[in-house]
Amino acid sequence: MLPFFSRGKPANATINGRTIAVLPRETLLTAALRNGMAFPHGCRVGGCAGCKCRLVQGRVRQLRSASYILSDQDLDAGCILACQSVPHGDVRIEVDMAAAARRSRARVLSREPLTHDIVRLRVQLEEALPYRAGQFAMLAFDALPGVERSYSFASPAAPDGQALFFIRQVPGGVFSSFVHGEVLAGEPLSVTGPLGDFWLRPGAAPLLMVAGGSGLAPVLAMLAERLGERDARPVALLLGARTQQDLYEQEAIAGLQAQWQGAFTYRPVLSAEPCGSGWPGARGLVADFVAEHDARNADAYLCGPPAMVDAVQRRLLALGAAPARIRADRFTTLNEAPAV
Ligand SMILES: Cc1cc2nc3c(=O)[nH]c(=O)nc-3n(C[C@H](O)[C@H](O)[C@H](O)COP(=O)(O)OP(=O)(O)OC[C@H]3O[C@@H](n4cnc5c(N)ncnc54)[C@H](O)[C@@H]3O)c2cc1C
Ligand code: FES
């Protein structure tokens, strides 16, 4: 690997035996897609691990370190993120093309408000996608050509092809403003998935799940999927939000809690709830509450805004958690993409 400041040069990349030209300062993912390859990918900004591949030969300059999203085992095996890697000289890459996502046509069935800035979108897929709860898809509306964004499935895969997404309105955001602003019933879209490496691994260790904002979507999907499997691992769910207004799906969480086979604690933590509002629960940053749990012996799943996920991850590591037992999905937006 090379430091960030080294310059890209024209190079050849041999990907699963096929050689393509990579332009100066072009990432491996951009070059592969420009050459018509169905290279697996998602967010394109280093936030999802959807473009994980193995550097078999050669060197790359990394726009952003992959160590925060890839496990130590992946890094030891030479894995890199294609969307964050600019070849320095010729390289040879191996990628699991079978993991490539499928594109299904879909229609919006309904949109329901969950909070003042999050809606639940229910879509009917023409072709059911075989995703694991926790993974995400790329959504693209026909009415918004050229605009495609990542959204986590908020429900486990269903045989009838219906899927839920929680979509937060990002101020000035093209996709989320469209979803919040337009009449959407019947609206046609494409859903490409499954993508990402965020899904609940089997095991017996207690689960520490920390979500912020719409990051609750994959966490609820994972818990709902495991409920069907009668999972009995102890669960501690922490949900970070600003005020009581920002809490949602409280009944769904209570339902999961009631039916879960093992112990299940739930703690919403509010960071900006006005004093004197009568809120009896926890106040502060959700990262400040992970110390109440046995971080060393838990499998942790973190999802939501990158700043929250990073803060919780740092806290868990400081508490002695093993990096390989922390899995995270950062809901990065385009303006968080690193400059090339
Ligand atoms: C793996 C993954 C899963 C995700 N899952 C979810 C989910 O389940 N739910 C959810 O709500 N979100 C999720 N996201 C985030 C989502 O993909 C979108 O990034 C988010 O909804 C914003 O999209 P948008 O089109 O509305 O905003 P964009 O138009 O992409 O804009 C995003 C921000 O950038 C600013 N911006 C736009 N263009 C520029 C520019 N040229 N210069 C500077 N700033 C600019 C905008 O003002 C806005 O603040 C996920 C992201 C990832 C990576
Ligand atoms: S596509 Fe590269 S990390 Fe998401």
Side-chain angles (χ1 to χ4, degrees), residues 29 40-51 69 81-84 136:
L29 178 64
H41 68 282
C43 66
R44 302 190 191 196
V45 295
C48 72
C51 62
I69 195 163
L81 299 177
C83 74
Q84 299 300 307
F136 70 96

Side-chain angles (χ1 to χ4, degrees), residues 133-144:
Q135 291 187 291
F136 70 96
M138 302 293 290
L139 271 53
F141 280 101
D142 295 10
L144 272 185

Side-chain angles (χ1 to χ4, degrees), residues 199-207 226 229-234 260 297-299 301 325:
W199 48 275
L200 199 55
R201 272 46 177 193
L207 292 170
R226 295 313 303 166
E229 304 292 325
R230 302 182 70 76
D231 201 321
R233 278 178 272 187
W260 195 259
N297 293 310
D299 287 331
Y301 290 82
R325 293 181 70 179

